[in-house]
Amino acid sequence: MKNLLQKIEHASACKVIFTDFFDTLVHRTVHPHYAIKLWGKFLIRELGLKITTDELFSIRIDALSYLSQKMKLKGIEISYEVLIEEVHRRLINSESLSDVSSDYFIEIFKQADYVAEVSVQFKNDAIISSLKTLKEKGYRIYLITDFFLSKEIILKILTFHNISSIFDGVFVSCDLGKSKENGSIYPYVLDTTNSQASETIMIGDNKKSDIINSGKFGIGNVHTKNLKHHFRNKRNLLGTDERSFQEVCSTVEKRCIKGKHPFSEYIIHFYFFIERLYKKAKQDGVKDLFFLAREGLYLKKLFDSYQELNQFDGATRISTHYLKASRQSAQQIALKPLREEKFENLGGMYGQMSIDQLLSWFFFPKELKKQLFLELEVGPDQTYSNLFESELMTKLRKNELFINHYEKNRSNQKEAFHKYLKSFGANIEENGICLVDVGWGGTMQECIYKFLKNEIPVTGYYIGLKAIYNIEPDTKRFGLNFSIYPSHGISYDILKANGQLYEQLLGAPHGSTLGYTLREGQAETIEFHETNEKNVFENHIKEVQDYMQLEFKELFLGLRSINYSQEIVQEYLTNMAMRIGILTNKKRIRFVNQISKGFYQNVGENKVGLNYSLGQLTSSKRSLLILFLRSPEKVFRYLVKVKPFLYAKGLYWCSWPIGLAYYYMKFNFWIKKKWFPKRLLRS
């Protein structure tokens, strides 16, 4: 800024520069009060408070007003530490805060203020450049600001902007009990810095506080009017959080759709799962999260990234672990002695199964298999619709060879898994185990709980929860993006429809865990990586995941400065799932077909690939049509399969009417929301 340099350099007596901070050196992209709302958003998230941002905002504003009247000081002159104490007392009294030490509360309070400010600030590069030039020429430069944040926070903000070296000192109204607003800070700073008013110039945007009041003490001044920034602050009183939220999410969604990575917009689903997981874990006081293989590998990567980006480190950080497990390996460790084991959970899950597959499941060596086939007089490839209830199983239960190896394998699996679990170094005896996975029912959670003899709580956090098992107080589970439990609505029916796509996009570069073993006293996993599955990950999924990681960061940075509600989030996720499911195209269908070739199912017949069938639709078209007209979400899981089905039959050209279903669904939901706000309609 040439005018600033010229004015100061032409003032030959000037040796010292005082400068304002906000709306002079830095500007905000939001109204100043909105930064306090963001402070509330971050404080609630980090402390797990069950209170709204608006309520917390009001508590802070009222606390400051009360202290101002009580101490007969301007709000900006109230000590930051005193304000923190008052807010702390109010939260305790309203029972919004418990089991949080005073020191920890103060630490998070300050960090939330810092993060809120830097997330909405940008530098006035012209003035900063001029100040750097003046600093090089030997001028002493001091920062003077009327603000409710302490010098400690201001110094962190200066470091964040890489401009702390410019200043010889920093003076903040709330630390001194003096302000520019009434002029009391100026003689104090002049005296403290041993500066002469006649040799000093004040730079600032506020005519009264920076210009008139400094002039009363003989200090020269340069008025930086910054009218467009003042206008922007007034304009930012208008608008809605929902609109800002929509803009950020839709920008990412459109960029993903137009890009070369099909379905990468699913990162929006994963982002909000990670955000909700973090908030829920904080509410529950979780210290360790165990991400279950294989979908958990990428989810762990996103969660770790989220913790890095949110700038709340140190003691507040949640430790994350990657636990290699599958339904097969988890069921191994949960097995009871053969005389007690009824295989209740296995019969329906594994469907058609041969004796050879069963013995492989229990890690029978080849020689033992051959001997058993001879003793039982059965062919290895003969399949049974329910092997665990068959006459063959009755014979196996009496066969000494089978009994001995079954018990040996059961014992080995439990011992190996016990050591494997211990290797993570988490205090599960005291804190329990918190599992993270894609979903859908909690089979592995149930098995691990049984392995721990039903004595240690095992909690599950899932993207979605589709089935309700025998949930007990120590096996709570939560579907954070959608859940059938404790009740479900429209969003659940929409979001659950493409469950397999969540799993495919969350693929991992390693095989499925079949079980556990000990090698030289160390626990190891026994894995199998199907060739097609490996190729699909390397040729398709890896690239999509790498791209989604970049968009994850863009979402975080874009949404950090917006105080949005979870209702807004859920509505967006639901609408996006409808668009993805119905308004698909050939390119995306081909991509699904390609990645489905590597979708390895490590249960039952160990099939690779997915088969899309419309058998459900042909049974009762009339009833499905009536159901669609009344509650279209109930048939959405069928709708998403129509285009892939027609494409496979070479009839994609006649699929265009399916797109109309999207607009009918939007209309149907709007009608219900507008005309039936009591929500008494249930389908």
Side-chain angles (χ1 to χ4, degrees):
M1 181 179 281
K2 289 185 177 181
N3 289 339
L4 176 62
L5 284 173
Q6 290 172 354
K7 287 181 180 179
I8 292 176
E9 289 176 337
H10 287 168
S12 56
C14 181
K15 298 178 181 178
V16 180
I17 298 170
F18 292 170
T19 180
D20 175 43
F21 187 50
F22 291 101
D23 289 326
T24 299
L25 301 186
V26 300
H27 303 290
R28 295 187 184 93
T29 58
V30 298
H31 188 274
H33 282 177
Y34 199 82
I36 302 176
K37 280 207 168 185
L38 293 178
W39 157 84
K41 170 186 172 180
F42 300 143
L43 196 72
I44 289 169
R45 183 189 68 192
E46 296 300 318
L47 296 180
L49 302 181
K50 294 182 178 178
I51 187 175
T52 68
T53 306
D54 287 339
E55 289 170 334
L56 189 53
F57 173 81
S58 296
I59 287 173
R60 180 164 180 168
I61 296 299
D62 289 349
L64 189 62
S65 177
Y66 163 76
L67 291 171
S68 180
Q69 293 177 18
K70 178 183 177 182
M71 302 173 72
K72 295 181 171 54
L73 291 171
K74 299 284 187 181
I76 51 177
E77 296 174 342
I78 301 297
S79 164
Y80 185 51
E81 303 295 337
V82 171
L83 173 62
I84 294 175
E85 290 175 7
E86 180 62 26
V87 173
H88 189 220
R89 279 194 294 268
R90 290 176 180 235
L91 288 173
I92 291 175
N93 187 65
S94 64
E95 298 183 337
S96 300
L97 184 69
S98 61
D99 300 325
V100 175
S101 70
S102 177
D103 289 343
Y104 184 66
F105 177 81
I106 293 170
E107 175 190 348
I108 300 302
F109 190 109
K110 291 180 177 180
Q111 187 67 7
D113 263 332
Y114 164 72
V115 175
E117 282 295 336
V118 298
S119 67
V120 298
Q121 290 179 6
F122 63 96
K123 295 184 290 185
N124 186 330
D125 291 319
I127 291 183
I128 288 172
S129 177
S130 297
L131 289 179
K132 287 180 177 179
T133 300
L134 293 167
K135 180 71 174 178
E136 292 170 357
K137 293 185 176 183
Y139 289 85
R140 286 189 291 139
I141 303 176
Y142 298 95
L143 182 70
I144 306 176
T145 180
D146 280 355
F147 204 45
F148 54 82
L149 299 185
S150 65
K151 178 180 176 180
E152 173 192 359
I153 309 273
I154 297 298
L155 288 173
K156 284 184 68 175
I157 293 173
L158 293 175
T159 301
F160 172 83
H161 290 304
N162 197 28
I163 57 176
S164 58
S165 60
I166 296 175
F167 306 103
D168 295 282
V170 174
F171 298 89
V172 185
S173 60
C174 72
D175 287 341
L176 305 174
K178 305 174 188 296
S179 65
K180 294 184 296 174
E181 188 176 335
N182 61 20
S184 58
I185 201 170
Y186 290 113
Y188 173 84
V189 177
L190 286 170
D191 183 60
T192 303
T193 61
N194 195 28
S195 303
Q196 300 298 315
S198 59
E199 299 175 342
T200 304
I201 285 180
M202 175 69 195
I203 303 170
D205 69 295
N206 189 296
K207 188 169 184 179
K208 180 188 175 186
S209 297
D210 298 324
I211 307 305
I212 295 174
N213 286 349
S214 65
K216 292 177 181 178
F217 299 94
I219 299 172
N221 55 70
V222 176
H223 188 199
T224 59
K225 296 180 181 180
N226 291 325
L227 293 178
K228 69 175 183 179
H229 296 297
H230 287 291
F231 176 75
R232 186 187 60 249
N233 283 341
K234 298 297 182 183
R235 187 188 63 200
N236 283 336
L237 286 169
L238 307 174
T240 65
D241 294 323
E242 182 173 3
R243 182 174 179 180
S244 300
F245 172 86
Q246 293 273 358
E247 288 176 354
V248 171
C249 291
S250 63
T251 298
V252 170
E253 183 183 351
K254 290 174 183 176
R255 190 161 57 233
C256 289
I257 291 173
K258 293 178 180 179
K260 63 178 183 178
H261 303 288
F263 297 104
S264 55
E265 66 268 30
Y266 260 69
I267 192 59
I268 298 176
H269 286 282
F270 300 145
Y271 177 85
F272 289 113
F273 168 69
I274 294 298
E275 180 180 77
R276 289 168 169 179
L277 172 63
Y278 184 84
K279 292 170 71 174
K280 179 63 176 170
K282 286 290 185 178
Q283 282 184 353
D284 294 348
V286 174
K287 294 180 173 59
D288 295 86
L289 283 174
F290 288 82
F291 289 77
L292 291 174
R294 287 173 288 175
E295 293 84 0
L297 184 61
Y298 190 64
L299 292 176
K300 180 182 182 300
K301 184 177 182 180
L302 295 180
F303 189 87
D304 290 341
S305 178
Y306 185 89
Q307 290 203 112
E308 289 292 334
L309 290 167
N310 74 9
Q311 298 177 285
F312 285 82
D313 298 323
T316 68
R317 192 178 181 91
I318 297 171
S319 297
T320 61
H321 314 281
Y322 184 51
L323 181 64
K324 286 189 174 182
S326 68
R327 281 183 290 180
Q328 178 171 340
S329 68
Q331 285 161 347
Q332 293 268 8
I333 64 171
L335 289 172
K336 298 177 183 178
L338 188 59
R339 64 181 179 276
E340 301 174 20
E341 183 59 65
K342 297 180 180 179
F343 302 107
E344 293 172 333
N345 295 329
L346 306 184
M349 182 179 295
Y350 287 85
Q352 291 285 337
M353 198 173 193
S354 69
I355 179 65
D356 185 63
Q357 288 170 335
L358 177 66
L359 297 180
S360 296
W361 198 84
F362 290 123
F363 300 109
F364 268 72
K366 288 184 178 179
E367 292 305 316
L368 285 180
K369 281 186 183 181
K370 291 180 181 179
Q371 189 173 342
L372 265 174
F373 296 151
L374 290 173
E375 290 183 12
L376 297 171
E377 298 180 341
V378 295
D381 298 325
Q382 183 178 345
T383 60
Y384 298 80
S385 59
N386 193 343
L387 180 58
F388 299 100
E389 296 293 331
S390 67
E391 183 180 344
L392 177 60
M393 194 68 209
T394 302
K395 292 181 180 179
L396 282 171
R397 286 182 180 276
K398 297 176 182 179
N399 185 283
E400 288 297 321
L401 187 63
F402 181 81
I403 293 171
N404 291 337
H405 186 79
Y406 171 90
E407 291 298 336
K408 179 182 178 181
N409 175 69
R410 193 177 72 85
S411 176
N412 290 344
Q413 289 298 311
K414 288 181 180 292
E415 182 183 2
F417 184 74
H418 178 75
K419 287 198 173 184
Y420 179 57
L421 205 54
K422 285 287 186 182
S423 69
F424 292 101
N427 187 357
I428 64 173
E429 288 80 8
E430 182 177 330
N431 301 324
I433 300 180
C434 295
L435 306 176
V436 181
D437 195 16
V438 64
W440 310 111
T443 303
M444 287 184 273
Q445 179 184 351
E446 292 279 334
C447 292
I448 292 173
Y449 182 60
K450 290 177 182 177
F451 166 79
L452 296 170
K453 301 176 181 178
N454 297 6
E455 295 174 352
I456 295 175
V458 181
T459 304
Y461 301 112
Y462 305 111
I463 288 179
L465 194 60
K466 294 182 181 180
I468 302 177
Y469 294 162
N470 184 28
I471 300 177
E472 302 176 18
D474 285 342
T475 59
K476 294 176 182 175
R477 63 205 65 176
F478 306 92
L480 300 183
N481 279 18
F482 60 93
S483 178
I484 195 173
Y485 186 79
S487 65
H488 71 278
I490 289 173
S491 185
Y492 167 81
D493 290 307
I494 302 298
L495 293 175
K496 76 168 185 177
N498 261 336
Q500 72 277 2
L501 200 48
Y502 293 99
E503 298 179 61
Q504 291 165 309
L505 292 172
L506 292 172
H510 64 82
S512 177
T513 304
L514 305 181
Y516 307 92
T517 188
L518 291 174
R519 193 184 302 274
E520 297 180 356
Q522 299 297 315
E524 294 182 359
T525 55
I526 303 170
E527 299 177 18
F528 171 72
H529 204 179
E530 201 277 328
T531 302
N532 288 327
E533 183 184 48
K534 183 178 181 180
N535 291 337
V536 164
F537 179 84
E538 292 176 350
N539 297 328
H540 301 289
I541 301 301
K542 185 180 184 302
E543 289 184 0
V544 178
Q545 288 186 355
D546 289 343
Y547 177 74
M548 287 196 298
Q549 185 77 28
L550 300 175
E551 292 295 348
F552 182 88
K553 183 176 181 180
E554 292 300 313
L555 275 168
F556 181 92
L557 296 176
L559 294 170
R560 179 174 60 174
S561 59
I562 304 172
N563 178 40
Y564 50 87
S565 70
Q566 289 306 308
E567 289 76 17
I568 293 174
V569 172
Q570 201 64 28
E571 185 175 352
Y572 192 92
L573 292 180
T574 304
N575 287 333
M576 188 176 79
M578 287 166 53
R579 290 192 291 271
I580 292 173
I582 297 178
L583 305 179
T584 189
N585 56 37
K586 288 183 180 180
K587 176 185 175 183
R588 294 158 78 85
I589 292 173
R590 282 194 294 268
F591 179 78
V592 170
N593 289 340
Q594 288 173 326
I595 63 176
S596 294
K597 293 175 183 177
F599 191 72
Y600 176 68
Q601 304 168 68
N602 65 341
V603 294
E605 300 171 76
N606 304 109
K607 293 179 180 179
V608 177
L610 291 171
N611 294 317
Y612 291 95
S613 172
L614 291 182
Q616 306 101 314
L617 288 178
T618 59
S619 59
S620 181
K621 296 178 181 178
R622 183 175 179 276
S623 61
L624 285 172
L625 177 60
I626 293 172
L627 183 58
F628 171 74
L629 294 174
R630 186 176 71 246
S631 300
E633 71 277 5
K634 297 297 181 183
V635 299
F636 183 72
R637 66 185 184 275
Y638 306 134
L639 283 174
V640 298
K641 293 176 173 61
V642 174
K643 281 191 175 182
F645 175 79
L646 293 174
Y647 178 81
K649 298 293 184 181
L651 299 172
Y652 183 81
W653 59 270
C654 65
S655 67
W656 65 266
I658 302 301
L660 299 176
Y662 170 77
Y663 301 100
Y664 174 74
M665 292 179 74
K666 294 276 287 182
F667 175 72
N668 181 282
F669 300 157
W670 178 82
I671 288 291
K672 288 177 179 176
K673 185 177 181 180
K674 185 75 173 177
W675 290 359
F676 302 97
K678 293 182 179 181
R679 300 182 181 180
L680 299 177
L681 293 178
R682 303 293 292 181
S683 55

